[in-house]
């Protein structure tokens, strides 16, 4: 499936629970602390809605972070699939899985039924571009009884319960799919989110496709009530939520792309929470308000392997050798990141002790004043600074480097089309599916939908296919690490740092969800 889409630059599987966290009413880990609830929460988000709150692109994660949507499953602290709208599941022979639904209601008052769930999943399979979680996967869904849904994949998929935890496969009521092409959905089309965070360059309506409206049609503890373009959103509590009544009566959300402005809003008391505080601003906050979370987000340098200078493996090798990633972790990220060791960072316990050792790389060629364009985006404030440091490092190696910085939504399409020689991007490797093999397939195979490095290598495709044939668990993880080594052998991607995310949380706020997967932020226990 060739598709242009975004994910919120990318940790996932097998992440240890953070110290001081425990299970909220919805089962998510959150900060310990007591306090009375009931008031509204004011939240500052880093990325505005870019696709009119479409559940199939970047905005899917935005909706899940704010407690609006949920799927059949979710991820626990160790990266495993655990119940959400489905209370249990079993695997049948072949590609079939049967999910037993819990008793729940949609925010429009209708029941969550097998027919409604099957319809929502079927709509996702027909989306164009399709959800990242479905890259390379074809399935059918049907109700099979009063509370059961059968999902059958064309080929056996041991990662299906993980895949169905993706925010882009959230379950919405039939009413969500009745809007006609070109009509207004819950939000308005704007200029951007980030893929590494993720966003599409165009909206469903702009492409003439039917819009999907999550306002009042989801199942989470909060319902999307009103939006003001790309600047604000109002959410109210869903009082019939299956997981229990949320402490907060609602959310008043502001979308503030500038990290300094977002931090200032928290410091001045305009908001109660600010996500993704820039590392440069963390020291300006009172220490008790800073929440640092290890993630599976890896910032990397992606080299265009199909055209211009980096089509030559020896030139890619020269660029790799020119990069000093440790300087980025200590200087740009001020110690709030770990030096890149591979595609999968230390937040993933199954990868923490592994250091990939690619062999068979070609010898580096002298740069010889080779001209190249290095691009990045400014939605994540550290990335332009990372690019500037890389520009200096590459120049010392003999490259002539032109730097281009844009807002993410204006960069993604050109980056995927190969219009730059190199791109600095941040990617949460486990955001889309929770499955490392699916991430590798989407980002580094010939048919991948988010292949910034434009890698098309038979050895990589074979290694990823081999990993995909393994069952979930240790064998699949080992095969994913072997496929990672095959990817790194191409020198199409140079890992730079494994990031930690910093949230600013007011002293009176309790129950903020510290999610290493970056899928959730506000839940039933979040309050002030």
């Amino acid at each position: 499936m060739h598709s242009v889409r975004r994910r919120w630059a990318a940790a996932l599987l097998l992440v240890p629970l953070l110290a001081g966290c425990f299970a909220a009413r919805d089962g998510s880990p959150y900060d310990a602390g007591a306090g009375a609830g009931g008031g509204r929460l004011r939240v500052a988000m880093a990325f505005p809605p870019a696709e009119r709150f479409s559940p199939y692109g970047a905005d899917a994660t935005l909706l899940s972070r704010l407690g609006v949507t949920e799927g059949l499953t979710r991820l626990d602290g160790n990266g495993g699939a655990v119940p959400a709208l489905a209370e249990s599941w079993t695997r049948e022979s072949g590609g079939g899985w049967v999910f037993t639904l819990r008793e729940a209601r949609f925010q429009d008052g209708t029941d969550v039924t097998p027919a409604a769930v099957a319809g929502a999943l079927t709509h996702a399979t027909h989306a164009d571009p399709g959800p990242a979680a479905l890259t390379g996967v074809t399935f059918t869904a049907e109700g099979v009884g009063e509370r059961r849904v059968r999902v059958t994949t064309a080929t056996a998929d041991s990662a299906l319960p993980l895949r169905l935890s993706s925010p882009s496969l959230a379950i919405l009521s039939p009413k969500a799919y009745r809007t006609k092409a070109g009509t207004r959905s819950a939000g308005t089309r704007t200029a951007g989110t980030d893929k590494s965070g993720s966003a599409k360059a165009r909206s469903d309506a702009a492409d003439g496709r039917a819009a999907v409206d999550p306002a009042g049609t989801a199942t989470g503890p909060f319902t999307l009530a009103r939006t003001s373009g790309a600047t604000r959103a109002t959410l109210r509590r869903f009082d019939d939520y299956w997981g229990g009544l949320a402490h907060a009566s609602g959310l008043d959300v502001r979308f503030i792309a500038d990290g300094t402005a977002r931090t200032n809003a928290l410091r001045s008391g305009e908001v109660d929470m600010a996500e993704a505080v820039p590392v440069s601003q963390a020291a300006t906050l009172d220490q008790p308000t800073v929440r640092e979370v290890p993630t599976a987000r890896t910032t990397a340098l992606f080299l265009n392997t199909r055209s211009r200078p980096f089509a030559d493996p020896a030139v890619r090798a020269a660029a790799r050798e020119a990069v000093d990633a440790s300087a980025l972790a200590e200087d740009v990220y001020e110690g709030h990141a770990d030096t890149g060791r591979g595609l999968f960072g230390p937040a993933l316990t199954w990868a923490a002790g592994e250091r990939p050792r690619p062999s068979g790389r070609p010898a580096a060629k002298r740069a010889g004043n080779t001209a190249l364009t290095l691009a990045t985006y400014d939605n994540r404030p550290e990335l332009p600074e990372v690019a500037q440091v890389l520009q200096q490092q590459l120049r010392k190696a003999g490259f002539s480097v032109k730097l281009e910085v844009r807002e993410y939504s204006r960069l993604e399409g050109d980056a995927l089309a190969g219009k730059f020689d190199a791109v600095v991007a941040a990617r949460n490797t486990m955001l889309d599916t929770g499955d490392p093999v699916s991430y590798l397939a989407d980002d580094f195979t010939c048919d991948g939908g988010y292949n910034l490095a434009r890698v098309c290598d038979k050895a990589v495709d074979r290694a990823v296919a081999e990993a995909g044939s393994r069952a979930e668990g240790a064998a699949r993880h080992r095969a994913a690490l072997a496929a990672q080594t095959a990817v790194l052998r191409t020198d199409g991607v140079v890992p730079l740092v494994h990031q930690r995310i910093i949230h600013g949380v007011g002293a009176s706020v309790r129950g903020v969800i510290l999610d290493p997967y970056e899928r959730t932020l506000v839940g039933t226990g979040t309050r002030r």
Side-chain angles (χ1 to χ4, degrees):
M1 179 185 298
H2 293 277
S3 58
V4 177
R5 58 184 175 273
R6 303 156 298 295
R7 296 64 118 165
W8 277 75
L12 208 113
L13 300 175
L14 300 177
V15 181
L17 287 174
L18 300 175
C21 298
F22 60 99
R25 285 189 184 183
D26 58 7
S28 303
Y30 69 77
D31 269 350
R40 296 184 63 82
L41 286 171
R42 301 164 299 167
V43 184
M45 304 295 286
F47 293 92
E51 303 162 290
R52 304 190 324 162
F53 289 98
S54 166
Y56 301 137
D59 293 357
T61 310
L62 179 62
L63 291 167
S64 71
R65 279 187 174 126
L66 294 173
V68 175
T69 57
E70 56 191 355
L72 289 180
T73 64
R74 64 177 181 84
L75 297 177
D76 66 9
N78 290 321
V82 294
L85 287 175
E87 61 183 16
S88 64
W89 51 89
T90 57
R91 187 171 189 175
E92 300 179 321
S93 59
W97 293 77
V98 174
F99 294 83
T100 300
L101 304 179
R102 69 173 70 253
E103 293 185 4
R105 297 179 71 83
F106 290 109
Q107 294 164 353
D108 61 11
T110 60
D111 290 334
V112 174
T113 64
V117 170
L121 293 175
T122 299
H123 275 283
T125 67
H126 293 159
D128 181 21
L134 296 184
T135 298
V137 175
T138 301
F139 70 66
T140 58
E142 60 178 341
V144 287
E146 184 177 353
R147 294 176 54 208
R148 297 190 302 164
V149 175
R150 175 180 289 116
V151 180
T152 305
T153 55
T155 59
D157 182 14
S158 61
L160 185 68
L162 290 173
R163 198 179 300 280
L164 292 178
S165 73
S166 170
S168 62
L169 296 181
I171 304 302
L172 304 178
S173 78
K175 180 181 177 181
Y177 308 100
R178 293 175 185 163
T179 53
K180 297 181 179 180
T183 60
R184 285 178 62 88
S185 185
T188 56
R189 170 77 174 100
T190 72
T193 321
D194 107 287
K195 149 68 170 152
S196 51
S198 256
K200 269 196 304 246
R202 61 190 187 277
S203 67
D204 287 345
D207 285 344
R209 296 188 296 273
V212 179
D213 191 349
T217 61
T219 61
F222 297 99
T223 184
L224 187 62
R226 184 173 66 253
T227 64
S228 300
T231 60
R232 296 177 184 268
T234 301
L235 283 68
R236 58 176 173 79
R237 179 169 56 199
F238 176 40
D239 291 344
D240 205 14
Y241 178 54
W242 64 265
L245 193 67
H247 283 269
S249 60
L251 309 177
D252 296 313
V253 182
R254 294 174 58 187
F255 302 104
I256 306 175
D258 182 81
T260 300
R262 202 163 53 250
T263 307
N264 287 340
L266 175 67
R267 189 184 298 108
S268 65
E270 296 175 40
V271 299
D272 302 306
M273 302 161 47
E275 72 160 358
V277 171
V279 295
S280 62
Q281 294 294 311
T284 69
L285 295 175
D286 293 336
Q287 192 58 37
T289 68
V290 175
R291 304 285 192 277
E292 184 171 82
V293 188
T295 74
R297 182 176 298 281
T298 296
T299 296
L301 174 65
F302 297 86
L303 306 179
N304 183 347
T305 61
R306 295 195 201 179
S307 62
R308 295 188 293 276
F310 292 128
D312 184 343
V315 179
R316 297 200 297 271
R320 168 178 50 81
E321 291 186 356
V323 171
D324 178 6
S326 62
L328 300 171
E330 292 303 318
D331 297 336
V332 176
Y333 287 90
E334 301 180 14
H336 296 287
D338 299 297
T339 301
R341 302 187 309 170
L343 301 173
F344 304 111
L348 306 178
T349 57
W350 51 266
E354 297 289 336
R355 287 184 178 272
R357 296 178 175 85
S359 60
R361 286 168 160 169
K365 178 187 295 185
R366 290 180 60 85
N369 204 36
T370 299
L372 61 92
T373 300
L374 173 63
T376 194
Y377 47 96
D378 56 8
N379 301 75
R380 297 188 179 276
E382 295 82 16
L383 294 187
E385 188 175 352
V386 168
Q388 289 172 359
V389 174
L390 291 178
Q391 181 184 41
Q392 296 169 3
Q393 293 179 352
L394 291 168
R395 281 176 173 172
K396 287 182 180 179
F399 291 93
S400 175
V401 185
K402 175 186 176 184
L403 183 59
E404 184 159 345
V405 179
R406 300 181 186 174
E407 193 274 338
Y408 182 80
S409 67
R410 296 179 55 247
L411 178 87
E412 185 192 57
D414 284 348
L416 291 172
K419 294 185 178 180
F420 307 115
D421 300 307
V423 176
V424 176
R427 178 81 157 96
N428 189 320
T429 59
M430 297 293 111
L431 179 65
D432 296 328
T433 63
D435 175 31
V437 179
S438 299
Y439 152 69
L440 293 171
D442 197 28
D443 283 37
F444 299 108
T445 64
C446 295
D447 292 331
Y450 195 71
N451 194 339
L452 287 174
R454 308 184 78 211
V455 170
C456 187
D457 184 277
K458 291 181 179 179
V460 170
D461 280 15
R462 284 195 300 269
V464 172
E466 168 64 18
S469 70
R470 302 299 180 91
E472 180 183 357
R476 192 174 182 90
H477 292 155
R478 286 193 299 270
L481 292 172
Q484 170 192 234
T485 302
V487 171
L488 295 176
R489 189 177 293 121
T490 70
D491 281 335
V493 56
V494 182
L496 302 174
V497 297
H498 305 299
Q499 290 184 233
R500 306 168 203 159
I501 193 168
I502 301 171
H503 297 310
V505 181
S508 63
V509 178
R510 300 290 184 272
V512 175
I513 300 174
L514 304 177
D515 181 11
Y517 316 130
E518 301 183 72
R519 293 180 173 190
T520 52
L521 181 66
V522 177
T524 56
T526 314
R527 61 197 183 278
R528 64 180 176 90

